[in-house]
Amino acid sequence: MSTQSLFERAAAVLAAADETDATSETNKADGTDGTFGTGALGRPAASAPSLWRALRAADALPSLDTDPAVLVDLVCEAGRRATPAPLAETLLVARPLLAAAQLPVPDGPLTVASGPLDVRFAHVDTGSRVGPLGAGGTDDAVRVSGTLSRVPWARGADAVVVLTEGPSSGPMLLLLDAGQCRQVAGTNLAGEPRDELVLIDVAVPAERVRRVPAALVEEARWRAGLARAALIAGAARRCVELTVAHTSSRVQFGRPLSHFQAVKQEEAKLVEEAALIGAAVGAATAALAEPGAAEFPAWIAAAQASASVAEIARIAHQLHGAIGFTELSPLRLATTRMWSWRDEDGGEHAWQRRIGRRVVAAGGGDRLWPLVTGS
Amino acid sequence: MALSPLATGAVTLPVEARKLRQEVRDFLAEERAAGTILGRPDSWLTGWDPAFTRRLAERGWVGMALPQEYGGGGRGNLERYVVIEELLAAGAPVSAHWVADRQAGPSILRHGTEHQREFYLPRIAAGECFFSIGMSEQNSGSDLASVQTRAERTAGGWRLTGTKMWTGGAHINDYAIVLARTEDSEDRHAGLSQFIVDLRAPRIRVEPIRLLTGEHTFNYFHLEGVEVGDDALLGRPGDGWRQVTGELALERSGPERFLSTLPLLTALVGQLQRAACSPEQHGRVGRLTARLASIRQLSLGVAAALEAGRPADVQAALVKDLGTRFEGELVGEVREVLPVAARFDATRGTYPELLAAAILHSPGYTLRGGTNEILRGIITRGLELNS
Ligand SMILES: Cc1cc2nc3c(=O)[nH]c(=O)nc-3n(C[C@H](O)[C@H](O)[C@H](O)COP(=O)(O)OP(=O)(O)OC[C@H]3O[C@@H](n4cnc5c(N)ncnc54)[C@H](O)[C@@H]3O)c2cc1C
């Protein structure tokens, strides 16, 4: 085991939990903590807690100082394997945000949510002369009420990182225990948990609250975009693998499908579109190494990944024929996820507008090319 | 299953590249101020300016990856990449030396005799010696191995007979590398050889084929029994197919396969900066920017593979199909973002004129250097070999 890299060990765990692989052991395990949807869509095989157990057992749980490039690779792999757990949310978003805000980082599966909430200081500073009563607290302990919607994997997470507007204007980051919120189950197009969290006067102690700069809110946004892009990159790769396997094995008119020009033409475009996402994610990942450099490349990755989904899913399904439209084929594990992921955390139009505003606004002169080259 | 075309680690450019990029930008700013650069689309095909080429050469930016002993810059391919992508993005007039720099030089370095290297390479690097590609013929387009041009042995060398077609720049360049059949063979890829032919030699007749714009870049290039010496043979007789394949890898892999129309997008952004821009317009500019940046990353991956001596034919085909389609898509999007009637007769360099040039050149993007349909065949063949 020790000769394998962390990535290899973790990838083996994700492979074992891959629903595509019918012989997978994890597949049959854990109906108990799997409170997941059991409809035709999704039917996640393992659950977050059991996946975390498996990762720990294999000494494959990334630590806080694991190279970000390895984390992105792992998230791609989770996308490829349709891994039923919040790896992307935990590794690429929640943990780095907590670390940046100097909050303790829990060891288990995490998720992230943001939105307007009613946040009040738990201990109102009645002596304060700044602002109306309640605008200041003797410390930063707060009480929170409200609803956070479509929270990924809330059911399977130990804790939720919440970004919201604080009581004395300015963003605040809170770390909530999953047990402090009421959960209303929901799912995305692939049957992955997207739950509603209802907070009723939840008390958050000051040591789990941080006032954060606006830049951290921006960082949360681009990190979420990059995480989704990495998942989509993995699922796109799976679409290519399944399609190539299908067109080279299925015979019609006495020849494998892959021998027909019309099939080749489409299949090549599928490969290209998937490669494009991989390259964009790779560039954003490389930029993580340089402080402050990753934001624009992460937007690019998010925009390109979301924008490529339609074409990738279209070609993969077309070349699979009717079988790909059924529950019998693992293709749906990739395509239904991609159709959801492209809209979560933004959607291509929002990313594209953000990029366009930066390109067009940037103070006269030609900023397009320098932005593209990163210098 | 190993799917090599998807294995795309990010490419980090060498540290020297940053300084180099700035040097090129400073140079381009001077040239722009002097009015030599109009930021035209497709400037690597139509921007013929030998004086500009020589100013580049003075700075060591022509033949920069050729070894110093042959007058080259001895720089890496990634550094060359930085220079040429800057030139292309600016729409600089680089067509004079483009083929010599991109493929003739490296081909001669790889397959040429010592005498050929010493004779051609220093002049290429000095920006004084320009090349054409003599591959295609009337009946040999995608099916290049079917070329009919023949080279027969003579006492002191070879006699070449046949007609090349679509030969860019044959009327203004100095030499062409001609693919000819030297032997008949069952195996259609055998018996081909490459020759370096002086375009001003007797019995050569160059006849224009005008583009649909009326511009003259293409030619018929008739070889009417051209006598050449032994020293015209490039590489080994019979090795022509293998050599041409290597040359095509260079021809297909560069940033000119996605940047041909970038100056139009730059011009559009300039227009939008002066007007109130709608969310819809921002979104479309963002869409193009994201695609451009992503394709560029893939293209850098090809350059890095070539630099490391790894085969990159499949990746190059992939980038070229994506990139050249993007060049055309960009034109369509730009029309939608800021609808303006394209005008070829408008003042050169203005937005409607650049748009016209990009539209009128658009059929070529996905044809030249091997059509996209053929490239997609290369990609799927690569997949089969890998699965
Ligand atoms: C701007 C420009 C510059 C050029 N410069 C040069 C030059 O300097 N020197 C030179 O030698 N050549 C040059 N060429 C020629 C170029 O290499 C050829 O045009 C190209 O290889 C295609 O050949 P063709 O035009 O004969 O088309 P064809 O091969 O006849 O193809 C016509 C159509 O059929 C499709 N097709 C053909 N075969 C297949 C197949 N097996 N499967 C699927 N589809 C197929 C093609 O994709 C294309 O869409 C240039 C071309 C252009 C447009």
Side-chain angles (χ1 to χ4, degrees), chain B residues 37 149 225 233 285 321 358 372:
Chain B
I37 297 176
T149 296
L233 178 73
V285 169
D321 185 24
N372 289 39

Side-chain angles (χ1 to χ4, degrees), chain A residues 79 189-190 225 227-240 243 266 269-278 280-281 300-318 331-344 346-349 351-352, chain B residues 287 290-291 294 322:
Chain A
L189 300 178
R228 287 287 160 235
L231 285 171
I232 292 173
R237 174 181 279 239
R238 172 50 61 92
C239 287
V240 171
T243 304
E266 289 294 283
K269 288 188 201 162
L270 167 65
V271 174
E272 288 169 11
E273 214 60 36
L276 202 55
I277 303 177
V281 169
I300 297 277
Q304 190 54 56
S306 302
S308 291
V309 163
E311 182 76 343
I312 290 171
R314 179 188 72 75
I315 299 174
H317 274 294
Q318 185 67 15
L331 183 62
R332 71 185 156 81
L333 296 174
T335 53
T336 55
R337 276 173 177 72
M338 292 196 308
W339 283 324
S340 282
W341 292 340
R342 66 177 167 182
D343 287 333
E344 292 171 356
E348 69 259 39
H349 298 296
W351 293 116
Q352 288 163 353
Chain B
R287 189 187 87 82
R291 205 162 173 87
S294 306
L322 274 172

Side-chain angles (χ1 to χ4, degrees), chain A residues 161-311:
Chain A
V161 175
V162 177
L163 266 169
T164 191
E165 194 67 16
S168 54
S169 76
M172 211 166 227
L173 189 141
L174 320 171
L175 179 60
L176 304 183
D177 275 335
Q180 290 179 289
C181 324
R182 225 177 52 216
Q183 296 167 4
V184 183
T187 57
N188 67 8
L189 300 178
E192 292 185 309
R194 294 294 182 265
D195 306 325
E196 205 165 89
L197 289 182
V198 184
L199 312 181
I200 303 165
D201 202 25
V202 171
V204 192
E207 62 271 20
R208 296 188 141 222
V209 175
R210 289 289 180 276
R211 301 175 192 222
V212 293
L216 199 78
V217 179
E218 281 305 312
E219 178 167 344
R221 198 169 284 158
W222 66 252
R223 282 190 167 279
L226 176 58
R228 287 287 160 235
L231 285 171
I232 292 173
R237 174 181 279 239
R238 172 50 61 92
C239 287
V240 171
E241 290 167 350
L242 292 172
T243 304
V244 171
H246 182 72
T247 59
S248 51
S249 60
R250 173 150 173 95
V251 172
Q252 289 290 282
F253 302 99
R255 293 196 283 165
L257 296 177
S258 62
H259 286 207
F260 293 97
Q261 266 298 337
V263 170
K264 285 185 207 235
Q265 298 296 320
E266 289 294 283
E267 194 166 84
K269 288 188 201 162
L270 167 65
V271 174
E272 288 169 11
E273 214 60 36
L276 202 55
I277 303 177
V281 169
T285 307
L288 286 172
E290 206 180 315
E295 180 181 73
F296 192 74
W299 292 358
I300 297 277
Q304 190 54 56
S306 302
S308 291
V309 163
E311 182 76 343

Side-chain angles (χ1 to χ4, degrees), chain B residues 58-75:
Chain B
E58 279 163 24
R59 284 164 176 79
W61 296 336
V62 180
M64 67 185 280
L66 295 173
Q68 283 173 334
E69 55 180 311
Y70 300 114
R75 314 282 288 263

Side-chain angles (χ1 to χ4, degrees), chain A residues 265 272-273 360 369 375, chain B residues 25 273 291 321 325 376:
Chain A
Q265 298 296 320
E272 288 169 11
E273 214 60 36
V360 174
W369 183 244
S375 55
Chain B
R25 286 185 183 167
Q273 278 171 341
R291 205 162 173 87
D321 185 24
R325 281 195 283 132
R376 288 183 210 129

Side-chain angles (χ1 to χ4, degrees), chain B residues 80-131:
Chain B
R80 173 176 177 268
Y81 190 100
V82 168
V83 171
I84 63 175
E85 73 168 347
E86 287 297 322
L87 295 170
L88 292 164
V94 291
S95 78
H97 66 280
W98 196 255
V99 169
D101 179 73
R102 174 182 72 190
Q103 64 200 90
S107 263
I108 292 170
L109 177 68
R110 198 140 141 217
H111 308 295
T113 61
E114 195 52 38
H115 173 74
Q116 286 170 332
R117 292 176 181 174
E118 282 168 7
F119 183 75
Y120 294 107
L121 300 184
R123 290 198 292 146
I124 288 178
E128 285 168 359
C129 170
F130 306 140
F131 275 75

Side-chain angles (χ1 to χ4, degrees), chain A residues 261, chain B residues 133 135-136 141-142 165-168 218 367-369 371 373-374:
Chain A
Q261 266 298 337
Chain B
I133 306 167
M135 294 188 195
S136 308
S142 300
M165 205 173 172
W166 317 125
T167 319
F218 278 155
L367 292 174
R368 56 193 178 197
T371 71
E373 288 74 18
I374 296 299

